[in-house]
Amino acid sequence: MNDTFQIFEHQALYTNRGNNELRLTQQQLGLLEQFYGDGNDFPYYSLVNKGIKFRQYVGVLKIGNTTIEVLPKAGKIDNKETWQNRLIEMLKAVGMFNIHAPSSSNLNIKQNSILDLYFELFITEIEYLLHRGLIKKYNKKEGNQLALKGKIKFNKHIQQNLIHQERFYIAYTNYDINHKLHAILYKTLLVLRRINLNPSLISKIGKILLDFPPMPNIKVTPVLFEKIVYNRKNTSYKTAIDIAQLILLNYHPNITQGNNHVLALMFDMNLLWEQFVAVSLQKNNSFKISTQSSKNFWKPSKGYASRLRPDIIIELDKKKYVLDTKWKNLYNTNPSSNDLRQMFAYLHYFDAKKAALVYPSYASNTHTGHYYDTKGNINQNCSVLAITTEQKIRSWQKAICLQIEHWITEPN
C-alpha cells in the first residue's frame, strides 16, 4: 500500500487506474470520501468514479498514515521537484514561512513534503523560545485556597465553604508561564507527536515535550487566535503561533473511531498567485500597491451592498492601473467574457488608466486589447499579461515587475 502521493492540482487519484505510485486503496478512498462528507462547499477535491479529483488547492492533505501532496503547475514543465520548490518559495515570499529563530537557516530536512518543513520550522521555533526562556504573564484566577490572598468572592465562598471553613474562595492574580500562548504551543506539540511520521523529527518532538511544561487543554477556535495581541515582550512567539494556528485549525482528530486523524494544510492557488504578484510588485519602489480597495456598485432595497474589489491597484504618477490575477493557462485563447466584463467595471469604478489580466505561462507575452464605447469606437485598454514561471523565485519576481512596468509605460 502506497502511503505517500505527490500529484499536480486538477489531477485525479483512482483505485482502478494509474501505476502503483498513484493508485488508492479502497480503504484510502473510503477515508477521503468520509472527509469529503456531503460535499457542501468542500474546496479541496471532488468525488469521481472510483477516485477523487483535486481542485485549485495545493499543499498537503494527511489522513491517518496517508499523505497526499498537491503541487501547482503552470506551463509545460511537469517536474514535481521543481514545482515543490516553487510552491515553498511562493509561500515564503507571501509570509507563510516567516522565520525568526536564528537557527532556522539550518533546517536540515530534505522536504518529503511541505508538511515536514512546517513541522521542523515549528520545532525549531519552540527550541528557540525554550532557549530564551518562556515568558511569564499575569493571569486572573479564582478558586478555593487555604490562604486568603486577593479578593474574596463572597457568594461562591458561602456556597462552597460552609463546612470547609479553613478554605477561602478568592479571585487572585498569578505571574507565571501558565497562559494562553503556551497552552496553544503545548497542544500543537501533542498533535505533532500524534501525526508526525518523519523519523528525524520523532526524537526532537519527544525531547521538547520533556522540556516544555504541561499546560491545560484549551478549546481551539478562530476567535482564540484573533484575541492574541503581540507586543515587544511576546513578538518572538508570532511565527510559532502562526504555524500552530495553521495546524490546529486544520486538524480534525478523527473522522471515524481510531487514528484516522486529518490534517489539511491546503492553499487556494488563485489567492496565492494574487499575493505572490502583489509582493513581487512591492519590490518596485516607484509603485504604490493596494490589495484591499473596494467600492459599492449595487445596493438592494434590503440587505447589504455588493462590492467590487480588484486584486491589485498600482498607483504611479497619480494614475491608477488595475490588475486581476488568474492562476490558469490561456493557451493562446482569449479571456472569458465574464473576466473582460469585470475588468471593464474596474476601469470605470476605480477611474483607472489601464487594466490587465495576469496569468502564469511557460513564455512571457503581452497582448493588448481595447474595449468599444457605445458608438463603436475603440477606447479603454485591457491587456492580457502572460508571465513566464522562472526556475529561481527572485528571477520570477523580477520578471513580474519588469513585464508589468513595461506594460504600464508603453503607449496605449
Side-chain angles (χ1 to χ4, degrees), residues 31 62-66 194-195 251-262:
L31 293 175
K62 180 177 174 58
I63 298 184
N65 294 331
T66 300
R194 178 179 295 180
I195 66 177
Y251 173 68
H252 308 269
N254 59 344
I255 53 179
T256 60
Q257 291 184 351
N259 295 319
N260 296 319
H261 38 254
V262 178

Side-chain angles (χ1 to χ4, degrees), residues 178-180 182-188 190-191 194 213-220 224 248 251 253:
N178 193 340
H179 52 79
K180 181 169 64 177
H182 293 152
I184 291 171
L185 299 181
Y186 184 71
K187 185 158 190 166
T188 308
L190 295 179
V191 170
R194 178 179 295 180
M215 292 287 150
N217 191 24
I218 54 171
K219 183 179 180 181
V220 175
L224 175 70
L248 293 179
Y251 173 68

Side-chain angles (χ1 to χ4, degrees), residues 13-110:
L13 292 173
Y14 299 95
T15 58
N16 62 341
R17 279 191 252 172
N19 57 37
N20 290 334
E21 292 182 355
L22 294 175
R23 185 175 294 183
L24 295 170
T25 65
Q26 287 293 342
Q27 180 186 13
Q28 289 169 330
L29 178 58
L31 293 175
L32 289 162
E33 288 174 341
Q34 289 180 52
F35 183 48
Y36 180 83
D38 59 13
N40 290 334
D41 300 321
F42 190 82
Y44 307 137
Y45 54 81
S46 59
L47 300 183
V48 295
N49 185 30
K50 297 184 179 181
I52 61 168
K53 183 176 182 180
F54 285 89
R55 293 173 171 161
Q56 80 275 10
Y57 279 76
V58 299
V60 180
L61 179 64
K62 180 177 174 58
I63 298 184
N65 294 331
T66 300
T67 301
I68 304 174
E69 185 174 32
V70 185
L71 302 175
K73 182 177 179 291
K76 296 179 178 179
I77 298 174
D78 58 0
N79 182 283
K80 290 179 179 178
E81 183 179 356
T82 296
W83 277 107
Q84 184 191 58
N85 291 334
R86 280 180 182 159
L87 176 57
I88 290 171
E89 291 299 323
M90 289 179 78
L91 291 170
K92 286 181 181 178
V94 303
M96 295 302 293
F97 289 115
N98 284 324
I99 301 172
H100 295 131
S103 60
S104 59
S105 59
N106 299 320
L107 295 178
N108 53 26
I109 285 182
K110 278 291 184 184

